[in-house]
């Protein structure tokens, strides 16, 4: 049996020194015989709700940690047909406000060691900014938000090839050493039970139904419908109502592919800063998002606008030429500067004005298949403001709505005439420590009832060409559509081989 860290004596000392009531404990175990995929399959087996979070910096370098959680102690769902309605952050704040978190050595600060994991849909902007409220149908039928509250999380440390199996001790007011000792022993048992599951020989692979090849995609707008949205929004730009808007189309693709098999393929062909697989009991969210929405770490707020895209070059020389061409494109630069200004405005509403700055401005970041113009913004939260306030101020990102934001959101609803759901919203985690880290719901697939839903948009400005904007949306959809098609081909061939083997 491995040792639990910190020791019981250290836990008691830390609780007394800090006045905290909530402390993580963990064990480090070797991970050389496990991968994040196999660990997830073992831990999630039999659980209705679970997640796997991974990351690849700039699409090329694997980040240090991957996080896995299952069997949450509580799940909250909000929306018109749910027990919770209105602003989904209110019950989240209530759940976490009593936590006085104690940071312990050896665990990554600002990482997903426990808390609330899930999503907040784009449509929650109607609660954060009531002027955008409207009554439009929800064709997919998913809640406005879902949070999985997890005390126990497994963190893959890719640098040291270790698994950190983490759980938390909730300490009642006035608890003495004897009671803390009992809670410590129970936490150790929880950790050991998790390790036993991880080290079990059997890997419960997802049951893959027979693959049906040849399914076609269906757009909710079609090419002409999307181009008409572009033309209508350009009229509002001429009128001076907006400067930019980001209309989207929804592509539906019937498939019997197991969603986790889609994720397994996606993570190998399109690594991204935010890769995720969420199982929400009835539907799954699968994605590789390149763009942070909001991150809060030690009361510092971060936002990373991405706008401007070129494909990667076949050679290092071509790559450099395309990057220089991207940075020299006046239209791309103008759009990016506008979105940086939007991000600054969002931060200024919750941060001290003199703290808001661009830590990185208009630099090219390279991902596996494309390169983007990226800027990094940050600011320090004002007194009386929290990470929840920062999140409300930033959602939805200007890169998924437009400018001015409120009017752009109103016009997008009028044009699309549907709820967006997870697309353009946020996925990630809100930590017990008060930190949070969320990405934008783009390059994301929602699997539900035998269909995969993919939504894609393009930024419309005065000089936009409707056909070009439609083509941009199709280009953005191709990574996910290709993922489904290629994963289907693989499992179809595998099933054919298995059938042939049974015949012989």
């Amino acid at each position: 049996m491995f040792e639990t860290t910190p020791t019981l004596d250290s836990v008691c000392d830390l609780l007394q020194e800090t006045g905290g009531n909530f402390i993580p404990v963990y064990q480090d175990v070797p991970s050389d015989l496990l991968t994040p995929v196999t660990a997830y399959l073992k831990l999630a087996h039999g659980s209705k709700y679970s997640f796997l979070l991974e990351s690849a910096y700039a699409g090329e370098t694997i980040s240090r940690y991957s996080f896995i959680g299952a069997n949450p102690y509580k799940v909250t769902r909000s929306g018109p047909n749910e027990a919770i309605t209105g602003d989904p952050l209110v019950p989240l704040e209530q759940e976490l406000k009593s936590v006085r978190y104690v940071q312990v050595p050896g665990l990554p600060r600002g990482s997903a060691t426990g808390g609330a994991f899930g999503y907040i849909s784009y449509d929650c902007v109607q609660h954060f900014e009531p002027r955008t409220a409207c009554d439009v149908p929800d064709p997919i039928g998913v809640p406005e938000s879902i949070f999985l509250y997890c005390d126990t999380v497994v963190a893959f440390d890719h640098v040291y090839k270790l698994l950190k199996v983490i759980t938390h001790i909730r300490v009642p007011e006035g608890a003495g050493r004897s009671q803390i000792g009992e809670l410590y022993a129970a936490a150790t048992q929880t950790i050991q039970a998790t390790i036993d599951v991880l080290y079990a020989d059997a890997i419960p692979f997802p049951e893959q139904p027979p693959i049906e090849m040849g399914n076609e995609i269906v757009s909710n707008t079609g090419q002409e419908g999307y181009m008409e949205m572009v033309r209508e929004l350009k009229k509002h730009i001429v009128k001076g109502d907006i400067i930019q808007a980001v209309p989207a189309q929804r592509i539906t693709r019937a498939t019997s592919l197991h969603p986790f098999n889609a994720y397994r393929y996606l993570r190998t062909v399109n690594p991204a800063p935010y890769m995720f697989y969420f199982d929400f009991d009835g539907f799954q969210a699968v994605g590789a998002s390149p763009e942070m929405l909001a991150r809060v770490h030690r009361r510092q707020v971060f936002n990373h606008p991405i706008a401007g895209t070129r494909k990667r070059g076949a050679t290092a020389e071509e790559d450099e030429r395309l990057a220089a061409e991207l940075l020299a494109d006046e239209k791309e630069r103008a759009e990016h500067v506008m979105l940086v200004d939007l991000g600054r405005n969002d931060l200024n509403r919750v941060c001290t004005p003199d703290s808001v700055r661009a830590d990185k401005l208009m630099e090219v970041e390279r991902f596996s298949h494309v390169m983007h113009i990226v800027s990094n913004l940050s600011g320090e939260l004002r007194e009386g403001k929290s990470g929840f306030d920062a999140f409300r101020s930033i959602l939805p990102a200007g890169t998924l709505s437009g400018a001015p934001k409120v009017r752009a959101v109103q016009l997008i609803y009028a044009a699309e005439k549907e709820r967006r759901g997870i697309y353009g919203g946020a996925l990630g985690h809100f930590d017990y420590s008060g930190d949070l880290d969320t990405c934008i719901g783009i390059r994301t697939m929602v699997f539900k009832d035998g269909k995969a839903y993919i939504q894609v948009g393009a930024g419309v400005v005065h000089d936009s060409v409707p056909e070009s904007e439609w083509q941009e949306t199709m280009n953005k959809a191709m990574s996910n559509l290709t993922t489904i098609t290629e994963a289907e081909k693989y499992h179809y061939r595998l099933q054919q081989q298995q059938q042939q083997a049974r015949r012989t």
Side-chain angles (χ1 to χ4, degrees), residues 51-346:
F51 64 84
L52 168 58
L53 307 180
E54 301 187 273
S55 179
Y57 175 73
E60 295 182 335
T61 304
I62 298 298
S63 292
R64 180 171 178 177
Y65 293 101
S66 298
F67 297 93
I68 304 166
N71 297 300
Y73 72 83
K74 180 178 182 177
V75 177
T76 58
R77 303 162 67 103
S78 73
N81 301 313
E82 305 295 337
I84 298 172
T85 58
D87 183 346
L89 293 181
V90 172
L92 175 58
E93 288 182 270
Q94 290 294 318
E95 181 74 16
L96 300 182
K97 73 176 183 180
S98 64
V99 171
R100 300 192 301 276
Y101 186 79
V102 179
Q103 184 70 35
V104 304
L107 290 180
R109 172 79 185 192
S111 293
T113 59
F117 301 78
Y119 75 87
I120 294 178
S121 73
Y122 173 95
D123 305 292
C124 286
V125 66
Q126 299 186 32
H127 307 304
F128 305 156
E129 180 45 78
R131 287 177 293 171
T132 64
C134 60
D135 186 15
V136 290
D138 176 12
I140 301 180
V142 299
E144 287 184 344
S145 75
I146 299 182
F147 285 116
L148 320 182
Y149 292 86
C150 294
D151 277 355
T152 302
V153 171
V154 172
F156 255 83
D157 186 333
H158 296 288
V159 173
Y160 291 101
K161 309 303 179 187
L162 292 172
L163 287 172
K164 291 183 179 292
V165 183
I166 308 160
T167 195
H168 292 77
I169 298 174
R170 299 169 181 264
V171 182
E173 294 296 329
R177 180 183 174 84
S178 176
Q179 187 175 4
I180 294 172
E182 293 174 359
L183 295 170
Y184 185 89
T188 297
Q189 289 179 352
T190 297
I191 292 172
Q192 187 57 50
T194 304
I195 294 172
D196 290 343
V197 172
L198 290 167
Y199 277 18
D201 292 333
I203 301 174
F205 287 100
E207 295 183 9
Q208 176 58 64
I211 294 291
E212 298 178 5
M213 301 296 292
N215 289 314
E216 300 292 331
I217 65 171
V218 178
S219 167
N220 67 333
T221 65
Q223 180 176 351
E224 182 53 41
Y226 188 84
M227 293 196 308
E228 182 58 27
M229 283 200 296
V230 174
R231 286 189 283 265
E232 287 300 313
L233 288 168
K234 287 184 65 175
K235 292 177 183 178
H236 287 282
I237 293 173
V238 172
K239 290 179 183 177
D241 295 334
I242 52 173
I243 304 169
Q244 184 196 39
V246 187
Q249 64 163 317
R250 177 184 293 110
I251 295 171
T252 303
R253 168 71 151 74
T255 181
S256 58
L257 182 68
H258 192 287
F260 194 70
N261 287 334
Y263 177 74
R264 291 176 65 192
Y265 190 86
L266 180 66
R267 70 194 290 272
T268 65
V269 299
N270 190 28
Y274 292 88
M275 297 183 288
F276 52 85
Y277 179 84
F278 281 99
D279 191 341
F280 291 120
D281 185 26
F283 71 98
Q284 296 76 32
V286 179
S289 175
E291 187 168 358
M292 175 193 295
L293 177 76
R295 180 172 181 254
V296 177
H297 177 52
R298 293 180 176 175
R299 297 191 60 78
Q300 287 290 122
V301 185
F302 302 90
N303 175 240
H304 292 184
I306 291 179
T309 307
R310 288 289 188 279
K311 67 178 182 178
R312 292 293 299 269
T315 64
E317 292 75 15
E318 184 185 15
D319 216 40
E320 290 300 324
R321 178 180 61 78
L322 290 170
E325 177 185 296
L326 175 59
L327 285 175
D329 189 313
E330 290 186 6
K331 177 177 177 291
E332 300 279 21
R333 291 177 63 89
E335 288 184 39
H336 190 91
V337 168
M338 178 182 63
L339 293 169
V340 167
D341 286 342
L342 266 178
R344 283 173 168 154
N345 289 341
D346 290 341

Side-chain angles (χ1 to χ4, degrees), residues 439-462:
C439 70
I440 301 176
I442 55 176
R443 314 297 192 270
T444 297
M445 300 174 277
V446 175
F447 286 81
K448 186 173 185 285
D449 300 330
K451 296 177 180 177
Y453 299 94
I454 301 166
Q455 290 170 254
V456 280
V460 174
V461 294
H462 181 272

